[in-house]
Amino acid sequence: MEKENIKTLLDKFKAIATNSPDDLKRYGSDETEDLNFPPDLVLKPSTTKEVAEIMRYCNEHNIPVTPSGARTGLSGGALPVQGGVALSTEKMNRIISIDENNAQVTTQPGVITQVLQESVKEKGLFYPPDPASKGSCFIGGNIAENSGGPKAVKYGVTADYVLNLEVVLPSGEIIWTGANVLKNATGYNLTQLIVGSEGTLGIVTQIVLRLIPHPSHDMLMLVPFFAAKDACEAVAAIMKTGVTPSGLEFMERDAIVWTLEKHPNIQMEIRESHAAHLLIEVDGFDETKLMEDCEIIANELSNFKTGEILFADNQAQKDKLWEIRRKVGEAVKSHSIYKEEDTVVPRFALPNLLLGVKNIGQKYGFQSVCYGHAGDGNLHVNIIKGTLTDQQWNNELPKAIREIFKLTVDLGGTISGEHGIGWVQKEYMDIPFSSTSLHLMKQIKSIFDPKNILNPEKII
Amino acid sequence: MEKENIKTLLDKFKAIATNSPDDLKRYGSDETEDLNFPPDLVLKPSTTKEVAEIMRYCNEHNIPVTPSGARTGLSGGALPVQGGVALSTEKMNRIISIDENNAQVTTQPGVITQVLQESVKEKGLFYPPDPASKGSCFIGGNIAENSGGPKAVKYGVTADYVLNLEVVLPSGEIIWTGANVLKNATGYNLTQLIVGSEGTLGIVTQIVLRLIPHPSHDMLMLVPFFAAKDACEAVAAIMKTGVTPSGLEFMERDAIVWTLEKHPNIQMEIRESHAAHLLIEVDGFDETKLMEDCEIIANELSNFKTGEILFADNQAQKDKLWEIRRKVGEAVKSHSIYKEEDTVVPRFALPNLLLGVKNIGQKYGFQSVCYGHAGDGNLHVNIIKGTLTDQQWNNELPKAIREIFKLTVDLGGTISGEHGIGWVQKEYMDIPFSSTSLHLMKQIKSIFDPKNILNPEKII
């Protein structure tokens, strides 16, 4: 980016700009590996109008703009890989209205997901999608990446709750994509085109979400398995009982062990023989019914070789188990240099996926730690650098990842369930999509962003 | 279409072609008003490959192609308005596989929706979307129009069940839009771009749908109201109890009366004082719980002036009540020349929408009969020609419809909830969408169909 442009931008948007070296470094990273691409300038608009002005100026002057939320993403979607402007939504942090009568919320994108959830819960309403980073991620980022989380198995992902979006296009024009209604057969679905587009088509400045009644009760159990494959097989078996858990999480042994090592204040016994665990939650409005659900699940599990099932019998215990699950990603990250792949397959294919990943690991000589939202077939494969040389890590590993993704697609799945493609997976997009499909996507990008200034070099 | 091209096409696809005058007339209409636009030729491919061959040829020779399902649509989406080829999917009527392990079905587009529902029900699985025409409409048409139906209030619309689509593009190229998974954050959402695109972007040749466990019980009640407005207000009140009915249908008096007149074999008493009815269904896996749900609803209804609530106490009675509801559209249609508008608003705005429609009717001198899926704010407004002159009908009515749609959009809604825009609503697309949004849609169309040969002149 030319120096002159930076200066003009700084002058023009002085009140909302920063370019201190610390800030530039900070906004140059998200939670993806240890990548850093500092922008030239950070702008923090607080209104749609300001976003539109920034976009208009940058579009005119060919300045790259990368939308930046809480930067908790895992695919590098928020990395300003061409420098330019990091457009942070952190000042757009207002819940605009909660419409109890229609069970809808209208919000700005910079609201923390958990804050949004707690605000609507006060009205008895429920916004289910809850990525592991819910305490820090922004709802706008969830829209960008079509985030999931543990509840997706019963309640679906972010996309399933988005009714309508206000979007600033790269040109600075402002559109609403849909209407505040539960069903809509009016033209092409621009709303769902924006959801999951990782900030490459427009900047989301207002979000209308549908809500549902908040369940009054939940129950949680932790089930140890002696074989990881058994745990994966149990997932499909549970789903076939007719009970739909509100969480059905898989964790390999190391995922838990490393989390406990990192957080010695969390007390939990884990036996040597326990190769994997399922964390299973049911929720609803009727405690008796939930007890029955738990019984049905426990009954099904008796067909598998499991250790003793732990039923969380108070809120503190539930919180602790969920805390472990939520901290796994971070613990794995701090344990070693790693790469995370966000594979997703039809859930019955999960045991084959796990087996395949381990076989590919043997072939290439890497260790992997797997965990994830097994109920919807979403397995986070963490490849550990461990003793691999830099040469192996940089040159051989992409081949291994390619094999993992090919296997995923062969099993009916795809290469990202909820983290997005962003910067780090885009080289693998030829695996799930034909060149025809990729060409369609490229053309869609060029309709919205003909000068390719908005979050360039992402996805495709 | 040039005569020479017809002849070549006939020769080329002889085995699957028809151009008898009767057929041309038949494929020139769907269920939209009394419109008829005969094609020059009807082709009935039975494989994706054949569809691709047809598209390749027609694209090369600039021959318009209109995808044709069961032609039960209400917005004219299947009308071959430029003649050319009607490409019927009726021979692509095979359910390819039911995957019980993953609760998914893969089907061709020409399968009747009810047949699909019954086939998966045999495996204990449930495909909820059930448009009124479910006994004759095709699943492919449901994809094209993003169909809803009574169950949408609890279970969502067609779009909510579509995981992956095989699509033949106008060029003859074949793509899969996604993957057979419950969550997907891999590139732009081509799947949801195709759903609801009314056959203007590509021809859907295979469909992968997710399924859910089939509920084991349901209960149904019919509630008469002395004032239609009260019935609309009761809808929002019921939804606020926390019970989500699996059906919450509104019918104005005339809708029922005309249906009973047309079907004298259906016995039902309807009192002079009953201005409107709600038909309310709950479903689930636990009969006791459903009785409680009914009690909660009945309790809430006691705040409104209603007649005696009829609880359907056997399957025959349930079937009869649903039959009345499903036959309403057809009965209104055969009663008088009419136009149907498929308005949708946030459900709490329903009483205002109804009132506004009646006021606009007074202003322009027309009678209207309203019914629809009140639980999700979807009101079918049937405007009756009655004593209006042709001049009023042709010149004044579009202004009235414009006023209805403007009101709809002002209330946070849009102009089609489940019937689509197709041919007859497209002149009103400037009401819900800005010129910027419409321009984006036009560009999307031109990416997929640069020569504008696929279902031309629809939507935009």
Side-chain angles (χ1 to χ4, degrees):
Chain A
M1 184 171 157
E2 286 168 33
K3 285 249 164 67
E4 200 181 322
N5 276 331
I6 308 177
K7 206 187 153 307
T8 320
L9 263 173
L10 250 173
D11 287 350
K12 202 170 157 64
F13 298 103
K14 198 162 199 159
I16 58 168
T18 166
N19 66 344
S20 76
D22 272 8
D23 277 344
L24 295 184
K25 186 167 180 225
R26 201 149 54 87
Y27 287 84
S29 287
D30 59 11
E31 292 292 326
T32 311
E33 302 166 23
D34 51 358
L35 299 169
N36 189 268
F37 294 88
D40 294 297
L41 190 65
V42 181
L43 294 177
K44 303 179 183 181
S46 54
T47 65
T48 302
K49 196 164 157 273
E50 280 177 344
V51 174
E53 278 168 20
I54 294 167
M55 290 314 304
R56 209 172 299 123
Y57 184 87
C58 290
N59 196 44
E60 207 171 296
H61 296 85
N62 297 305
I63 301 167
V65 177
T66 302
S68 188
R71 301 185 312 286
T72 55
L74 295 165
S75 60
L79 300 175
V81 293
Q82 293 189 354
V85 172
L87 190 153
S88 170
T89 59
E90 68 197 74
K91 296 271 156 92
M92 304 184 79
N93 60 356
R94 205 160 48 82
I95 295 175
I96 295 165
S97 66
I98 299 173
D99 177 352
E100 289 177 73
N101 289 319
N102 290 306
Q104 296 178 5
V105 58
T106 304
T107 181
Q108 289 188 312
V111 173
I112 290 173
T113 305
Q114 190 170 351
V115 171
L116 183 86
Q117 287 180 319
E118 285 169 4
S119 302
V120 303
K121 190 180 177 186
E122 278 173 28
K123 317 279 185 187
L125 294 167
F126 187 28
Y127 175 69
D130 60 343
S133 57
K134 70 174 179 179
S136 53
C137 66
F138 290 172
I139 187 73
N142 294 179
I143 305 285
E145 303 298 329
N146 191 14
S147 302
K151 300 259 189 251
V153 59
K154 178 169 178 179
Y155 293 107
V157 295
T158 303
D160 298 312
Y161 292 85
V162 184
L163 299 180
N164 202 0
L165 297 170
E166 185 189 63
V167 178
V168 176
L169 302 177
S171 62
E173 292 168 296
I174 301 162
I175 62 167
W176 279 95
T177 56
N180 301 356
V181 289
L182 298 172
K183 58 207 298 197
N184 195 332
T186 312
Y188 301 143
N189 197 335
L190 298 180
T191 308
Q192 294 299 337
L193 194 55
I194 296 294
V195 176
S197 67
E198 309 192 56
T200 62
L201 301 181
I203 295 181
V204 172
T205 47
Q206 279 192 74
I207 300 157
V208 183
L209 300 167
R210 77 181 179 91
L211 304 168
I212 57 177
H214 203 293
S216 50
H217 296 84
D218 57 63
M219 290 182 189
L220 188 64
M221 54 176 119
L222 184 72
V223 190
F225 288 79
F226 302 111
K229 190 164 162 284
D230 277 7
C232 287
E233 281 172 7
V235 168
I238 290 168
M239 295 302 293
K240 285 184 80 177
T241 63
V243 175
T244 303
S246 53
L248 183 39
E249 297 289 305
F250 169 83
M251 290 175 280
E252 272 196 300
R253 177 184 174 75
D254 282 347
I256 299 185
V257 170
W258 293 357
T259 306
L260 297 176
E261 270 172 18
K262 188 163 187 231
H263 300 279
N265 59 319
I266 306 177
Q267 298 293 317
M268 182 185 146
E269 193 203 2
I270 174 162
R271 297 206 184 162
E272 202 65 53
S273 56
H274 292 166
H277 286 73
L278 290 183
L279 184 64
I280 308 172
E281 186 193 76
V282 291
D283 73 359
F285 295 89
D286 182 339
E287 212 166 355
T288 322
K289 173 74 171 52
L290 292 189
M291 308 249 298
E292 286 168 22
D293 286 351
C294 287
E295 222 171 271
I296 292 170
I297 292 171
N299 218 11
E300 184 61 43
L301 288 171
S302 69
N303 299 323
F304 295 84
K305 282 185 188 152
T306 73
E308 200 182 337
I309 299 177
L310 171 72
F311 285 89
D313 55 11
N314 57 51
Q315 192 57 44
Q317 208 167 18
K318 287 179 195 171
D319 290 346
K320 185 180 78 175
L321 291 177
W322 275 120
E323 195 189 354
I324 294 171
R325 170 60 190 89
R326 288 193 183 281
K327 286 193 184 301
V328 161
E330 188 198 323
V332 170
K333 186 173 173 154
S334 68
H335 191 274
S336 158
I337 293 178
Y338 80 114
K339 274 189 192 290
E340 176 170 358
E341 310 309 333
D342 176 34
T343 57
V344 59
V345 292
R347 72 172 78 89
F348 201 73
L350 209 53
N352 285 337
L353 176 61
L354 185 71
L355 193 70
V357 166
K358 298 298 176 186
N359 286 342
I360 294 166
Q362 278 200 324
K363 177 172 163 192
Y364 286 89
F366 65 77
Q367 185 196 353
S368 65
V369 181
C370 299
Y371 62 91
H373 315 300
D376 29 39
N378 187 194
L379 191 73
H380 301 319
V381 177
N382 289 268
I383 300 169
I384 307 303
K385 184 162 182 230
T387 57
L388 292 186
T389 63
D390 283 353
Q391 196 274 337
Q392 286 172 316
W393 186 251
N394 295 323
N395 301 340
E396 294 302 308
L397 194 62
K399 294 179 206 160
I401 294 173
R402 195 157 266 278
E403 283 193 36
I404 292 174
F405 284 157
K406 274 192 179 151
L407 171 67
T408 306
V409 171
D410 286 346
L411 292 170
T414 189
I415 71 174
S416 177
E418 57 177 22
H419 293 169
I421 298 305
W423 172 249
V424 293
Q425 319 298 351
K426 69 172 178 164
E427 62 178 296
Y428 306 105
M429 281 287 273
D430 63 308
I431 302 172
F433 290 112
S434 66
S435 60
T436 306
S437 295
L438 291 175
H439 184 62
L440 285 173
M441 290 189 198
K442 275 182 199 149
Q443 288 178 291
I444 289 170
K445 165 72 173 171
S446 72
I447 286 175
F448 282 79
D449 184 19
K451 295 173 90 173
N452 195 24
I453 60 142
L454 189 59
N455 211 359
E457 300 188 51
K458 302 296 168 64
I459 303 182
I460 34 178
Chain B
M1 184 172 161
E2 285 167 34
K3 285 250 164 67
E4 200 182 322
N5 276 332
I6 307 177
K7 206 186 155 305
T8 320
L9 262 172
L10 249 174
D11 287 350
K12 203 170 156 58
F13 298 102
K14 200 160 198 161
I16 58 168
T18 164
N19 66 346
S20 77
D22 271 8
D23 277 344
L24 296 184
K25 186 164 181 226
R26 202 149 54 87
Y27 286 85
S29 287
D30 60 10
E31 292 292 326
T32 312
E33 301 166 20
D34 51 359
L35 299 168
N36 189 268
F37 294 88
D40 293 299
L41 190 66
V42 181
L43 295 178
K44 303 180 183 179
S46 53
T47 65
T48 302
K49 195 162 158 274
E50 280 178 343
V51 174
E53 278 166 20
I54 294 168
M55 290 315 302
R56 210 172 300 124
Y57 185 88
C58 291
N59 196 45
E60 206 172 297
H61 297 85
N62 296 303
I63 301 167
V65 177
T66 302
S68 188
R71 301 186 312 287
T72 55
L74 295 164
S75 60
L79 300 175
V81 295
Q82 292 189 355
V85 171
L87 189 154
S88 170
T89 59
E90 67 197 77
K91 295 271 155 88
M92 303 183 80
N93 60 354
R94 206 159 48 84
I95 296 175
I96 296 164
S97 66
I98 300 173
D99 176 352
E100 289 179 73
N101 289 319
N102 290 304
Q104 297 179 3
V105 58
T106 303
T107 181
Q108 289 190 311
V111 174
I112 291 174
T113 305
Q114 189 170 348
V115 170
L116 183 85
Q117 287 180 320
E118 286 168 4
S119 303
V120 302
K121 191 180 176 186
E122 279 172 26
K123 318 277 185 188
L125 294 166
F126 188 27
Y127 175 70
D130 59 342
S133 57
K134 70 175 178 180
S136 52
C137 67
F138 290 172
I139 187 71
N142 295 179
I143 304 284
E145 303 298 330
N146 191 12
S147 303
K151 301 261 190 250
V153 61
K154 178 169 179 179
Y155 293 106
V157 295
T158 304
D160 298 311
Y161 293 85
V162 184
L163 299 181
N164 201 0
L165 296 170
E166 183 190 63
V167 178
V168 177
L169 301 177
S171 61
E173 290 167 296
I174 301 163
I175 63 168
W176 278 95
T177 57
N180 301 357
V181 289
L182 297 172
K183 59 205 301 196
N184 194 332
T186 312
Y188 302 144
N189 196 335
L190 299 179
T191 308
Q192 294 298 336
L193 195 55
I194 297 293
V195 176
S197 68
E198 309 192 54
T200 63
L201 301 181
I203 296 181
V204 172
T205 46
Q206 278 192 73
I207 301 156
V208 183
L209 300 166
R210 77 180 178 94
L211 304 168
I212 57 177
H214 203 293
S216 50
H217 297 84
D218 57 62
M219 292 183 188
L220 188 64
M221 55 177 119
L222 184 71
V223 190
F225 287 80
F226 302 112
K229 191 165 162 285
D230 278 8
C232 286
E233 282 173 7
V235 168
I238 290 167
M239 294 304 291
K240 285 184 80 175
T241 62
V243 175
T244 303
S246 52
L248 185 38
E249 296 289 303
F250 169 83
M251 291 176 280
E252 272 197 300
R253 176 183 176 74
D254 283 347
I256 299 185
V257 170
W258 294 358
T259 306
L260 296 176
E261 270 172 19
K262 187 162 186 232
H263 300 279
N265 59 319
I266 306 178
Q267 300 294 317
M268 180 184 147
E269 192 201 4
I270 173 162
R271 295 209 184 162
E272 202 63 52
S273 57
H274 293 167
H277 286 73
L278 290 183
L279 184 64
I280 308 171
E281 187 194 74
V282 289
D283 74 0
F285 294 89
D286 180 340
E287 209 164 359
T288 322
K289 174 72 172 55
L290 292 189
M291 308 251 297
E292 285 168 23
D293 286 350
C294 287
E295 220 171 273
I296 292 169
I297 292 171
N299 219 8
E300 184 61 42
L301 288 171
S302 69
N303 298 323
F304 295 85
K305 283 185 186 149
T306 72
E308 200 181 339
I309 299 177
L310 171 73
F311 285 89
D313 53 11
N314 56 52
Q315 192 56 46
Q317 209 166 19
K318 287 180 197 171
D319 290 346
K320 184 179 80 175
L321 292 177
W322 275 121
E323 192 187 355
I324 293 171
R325 171 61 189 89
R326 289 194 182 277
K327 286 193 183 302
V328 161
E330 186 198 324
V332 170
K333 185 171 176 162
S334 68
H335 191 273
S336 157
I337 293 177
Y338 81 112
K339 272 188 193 293
E340 176 171 358
E341 310 309 334
D342 176 36
T343 58
V344 60
V345 292
R347 72 172 78 91
F348 201 73
L350 210 53
N352 285 338
L353 176 61
L354 185 70
L355 193 71
V357 166
K358 299 299 175 184
N359 286 341
I360 294 166
Q362 278 200 324
K363 180 174 160 190
Y364 287 89
F366 66 76
Q367 187 197 351
S368 64
V369 181
C370 298
Y371 61 90
H373 315 300
D376 30 36
N378 187 195
L379 192 72
H380 300 320
V381 177
N382 289 269
I383 300 170
I384 307 302
K385 183 161 185 231
T387 57
L388 292 187
T389 63
D390 283 354
Q391 196 275 336
Q392 286 171 317
W393 187 250
N394 295 324
N395 300 340
E396 294 302 308
L397 194 62
K399 294 179 204 160
I401 294 172
R402 196 157 263 280
E403 283 194 37
I404 291 173
F405 284 157
K406 273 192 176 148
L407 171 66
T408 306
V409 170
D410 286 346
L411 292 170
T414 191
I415 70 174
S416 177
E418 56 177 20
H419 293 170
I421 298 305
W423 171 249
V424 294
Q425 319 298 351
K426 69 173 178 163
E427 63 178 297
Y428 305 106
M429 281 288 273
D430 62 308
I431 302 171
F433 290 110
S434 67
S435 58
T436 307
S437 295
L438 291 177
H439 185 60
L440 286 174
M441 290 188 198
K442 275 181 198 148
Q443 287 178 290
I444 290 169
K445 165 70 174 170
S446 72
I447 286 174
F448 282 80
D449 184 19
K451 296 174 92 172
N452 194 24
I453 58 142
L454 188 59
N455 211 359
E457 299 187 52
K458 301 297 169 62
I459 305 182
I460 35 177

